[in-house]
């Protein structure tokens, strides 16, 4: 049985992945500094799996505690979710982002190397494609950074590539996520953003629950089928399962591999509103406002490489994502509070 350290494992994607890991028979150790999550998510995962999951409140910048984790557990690999992810905040506080995300990852890799743990799955993002010229986007498309958050993702991708070039005993999976949404079907775990959500789906669910008055649709003059921005929304459970497949791939010693994790389908903001209304029989009041600066018009994945090489596909459709997001929101109107 393999033991996997999950950094950022109490967070949104982390908690769903821990659940899928445990259900797939992995031994899991979770570390997080709880800067953007609560241990309640892990207690819910324990409730769902009936298994105790060791948790350590550790910051990636605290190398001593990090080192101790690798001494205390016989680890086979790491899934590395821990990081800050708010684009706007990264523009205001770039150094904070560089230190937390980049220095944190360098610390992690140094300690992994010291302990001979050289299998890592990294949470990258479709943001590395910037405003893509071609859709669907293949992994070979040009990459760029359009804000400090994106630059941390791209820089970490380069660091991991160079690390592999220097030492071929590493196995690295760079997973470029498209837009993760939804929640586990139980409604016990889900996305619990701090403050007013920046992302579309949690904003929609908070409008639906009456916490926010109406959705602002950012721009209706894009060259898309209805003028609103198009994204590739992926159910967080499909995304979580992609990590299990990536771990299996690492067991074949592939070196460094990069995969898009998306559905391959583009949905506009209005498509999301319609799907949500239909799935949940709720009206979502909205108003059209100006474009949000920095937003791409269209961004959706070509997931065929992951489909073929990982034997993985995102199967849950947009209505299921909307249903599960709403189920989580109604059962937990205040998140994990
Ligand atoms: P999240 O904020 O819910 O989870 C990240 C976790 O990392 C949090 O629990 C936070 O407390 C922890 N963390 C942050 N800095 C840390 C540090 N220095 N030491 C220890 N723990 C630390 O976010 P998420 O949505 O679950 O995202 C997980 C990863 O996936 C992130 O790296 C994010 O950048 C990436 N990603 C997310 C999305 C998305 O839309 N949610 C899209 C693409 C990529
Ligand atoms: N969006 C919107 N209103 C909001 C939040 C987002 O219209 O309150 C749009 C945004 O312009 C983009 C899509 O929804 O076209 C997805 O945005 P999100 O922030 O969820 O993800 P992004 O792809 O920007 O990372």
């Amino acid at each position: 049985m393999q033991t996997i350290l999950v950094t950022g494992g109490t967070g949104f994607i982390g908690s769903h992945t821990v659940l899928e890991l445990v259900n797939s028979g992995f031994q899991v150790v979770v570390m997080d500094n709880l800067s953007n999550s609560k241990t309640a998510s892990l207690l819910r995962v324990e409730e769902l799996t009936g298994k105790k999951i060791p948790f350590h409140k550790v910051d990636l910048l605290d190398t001593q505690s990090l080192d101790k984790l690798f001494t205390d557990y016989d680890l086979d690999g790491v899934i590395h979710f821990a990081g800050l992810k708010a684009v706007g905040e990264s523009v205001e506080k770039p150094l904070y982002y560089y230190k937390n995300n980049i220095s944190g990852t360098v610390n992690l890799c140094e300690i992994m190397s010291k302990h001979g743990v050289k299998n890592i799955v990294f949470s990258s993002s479709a943001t590395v494609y910037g405003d893509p010229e071609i859709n669907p986007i293949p992994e070979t498309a040009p990459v760029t950074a359009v804000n400090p958050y994106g630059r941390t993702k791209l820089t970490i991708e380069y660091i991991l590539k160079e690390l592999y070039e220097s030492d071929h005993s590493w196995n690295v999976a760079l997973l470029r996520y498209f837009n993760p949404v939804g929640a586990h079907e139980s409604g016990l775990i889900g996305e619990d953003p701090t403050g007013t959500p920046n992302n579309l789906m949690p904003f929609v669910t908070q409008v639906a629950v009456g916490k926010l008055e109406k959705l602002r649709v950012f721009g209706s003059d894009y060259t898309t089928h209805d003028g609103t921005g198009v994204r590739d929304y992926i159910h967080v459970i499909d995304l979580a399962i992609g990590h299990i497949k990536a771990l299996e791939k690492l067991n074949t010693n592939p070196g460094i591999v990069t995969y898009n994790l998306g559905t391959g389908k583009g949905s506009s903001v209005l498509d999301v509103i319609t799907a949500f209304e239909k799935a949940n029989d709720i009206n979502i009041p909205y108003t059209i406002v100006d474009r949000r600066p920095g937003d791409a018009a269209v961004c959706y994945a070509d997931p065929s490489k992951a489909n073929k090489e990982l034997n993985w596909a995102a199967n849950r459709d947009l209505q299921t994502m909307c249903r599960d997001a709403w189920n989580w929101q109604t059962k937990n109107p205040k998140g994990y509070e």
Side-chain angles (χ1 to χ4, degrees):
M1 187 189 283
Q2 286 201 316
T3 305
I4 304 299
L5 175 68
V6 181
T7 78
T10 46
F12 170 45
I13 307 169
S15 55
H16 289 80
T17 304
V18 170
L19 173 68
E20 293 302 322
L21 282 167
V22 173
N23 284 340
S24 306
F26 287 87
Q27 201 92 326
V28 181
V29 179
V30 172
M31 70 79 93
D32 200 296
N33 68 357
L34 302 179
S35 59
N36 197 39
S37 57
K38 302 188 180 76
T39 49
S41 61
L42 218 53
L43 297 177
R44 301 276 181 89
V45 174
E46 291 184 339
E47 195 180 324
L48 283 166
T49 58
K51 297 247 164 66
K52 185 98 196 92
I53 300 157
F55 171 75
H56 297 269
K57 185 173 183 238
V58 171
D59 196 302
L60 287 174
L61 299 177
D62 173 3
T63 47
Q64 259 186 349
S65 303
L66 202 54
D67 190 61
K68 187 169 182 315
L69 266 185
F70 281 79
T71 306
D72 290 350
Y73 293 95
D74 189 11
L75 298 169
D76 297 290
V78 175
I79 302 184
H80 179 31
F81 292 107
L84 299 166
K85 62 165 185 176
V87 172
E89 186 186 45
S90 81
V91 175
E92 285 160 25
K93 303 178 187 169
L95 297 180
Y96 176 49
Y97 271 65
Y98 292 136
K99 190 168 178 176
N100 192 79
N101 292 6
I102 299 178
S103 303
T105 303
V106 171
N107 289 347
L108 175 67
C109 292
E110 267 182 348
I111 287 165
M112 287 177 69
S113 186
K114 178 179 160 193
H115 291 268
V117 182
K118 295 185 177 178
N119 289 333
I120 184 167
V121 177
F122 172 62
S123 304
S124 189
S125 166
T127 188
V128 300
Y129 297 119
D131 193 348
E133 275 169 28
I134 314 165
N135 278 286
I137 312 166
E139 287 82 354
T140 48
V143 290
T144 180
V146 289
N147 53 58
Y149 165 70
R151 196 172 305 281
T152 69
K153 292 291 164 196
L154 196 53
T155 305
I156 294 167
E157 284 202 1
Y158 284 126
I159 290 172
L160 292 171
K161 272 182 202 140
E162 287 160 357
L163 184 58
Y164 168 73
E165 289 307 330
S166 74
D167 174 358
H168 279 48
S169 62
W170 278 85
N171 287 296
V172 180
L174 306 174
L175 303 183
R176 294 176 177 160
Y177 311 157
F178 281 68
N179 290 55
V181 296
H184 186 254
E185 61 177 6
S186 65
L188 279 179
I189 55 172
E191 187 170 12
D192 183 18
T194 330
T196 305
N198 295 311
N199 294 114
L200 179 63
M201 189 64 85
F203 204 107
V204 167
T205 61
Q206 293 199 11
V207 168
V209 83
K211 218 163 144 183
L212 298 166
E213 196 199 337
K214 60 167 82 152
L215 173 72
R216 289 176 309 152
V217 175
F218 297 139
S220 61
D221 57 350
Y222 288 109
T223 42
T224 61
H225 63 274
D226 59 21
T228 66
V230 166
R231 294 291 182 275
D232 186 340
Y233 298 93
I234 172 171
H235 196 294
V236 64
I237 292 292
D238 282 328
L239 185 61
I241 293 168
H243 291 74
I244 315 275
K245 298 289 190 177
L247 280 179
E248 287 169 6
K249 182 76 183 174
L250 293 192
N251 286 338
T252 67
N253 290 318
I256 183 154
V257 285
T258 306
Y259 296 106
N260 283 338
L261 297 186
T263 62
K265 291 189 193 77
S267 305
S268 72
V269 179
L270 296 184
D271 291 336
V272 172
I273 297 173
T274 307
F276 191 93
E277 292 183 331
K278 221 161 142 187
N280 302 311
D281 198 17
I282 293 176
N283 178 47
I284 301 295
Y286 69 87
T287 167
I288 309 269
V289 299
D290 284 348
R291 292 179 179 194
R292 183 170 66 179
D295 271 358
V298 180
C299 178
Y300 62 97
D302 174 352
S304 54
K305 189 174 172 215
N307 297 161
K308 213 166 20 191
E309 294 183 17
L310 297 181
N311 188 23
W312 168 89
N315 296 317
R316 290 162 178 81
D317 64 11
L318 189 59
Q319 281 216 29
T320 307
M321 301 180 213
C322 292
R323 185 200 65 200
D324 291 342
W326 179 234
N327 184 38
W328 152 255
Q329 176 73 61
T330 43
K331 286 188 171 146
N332 308 270
K334 292 184 176 166
Y336 289 112
E337 201 173 284

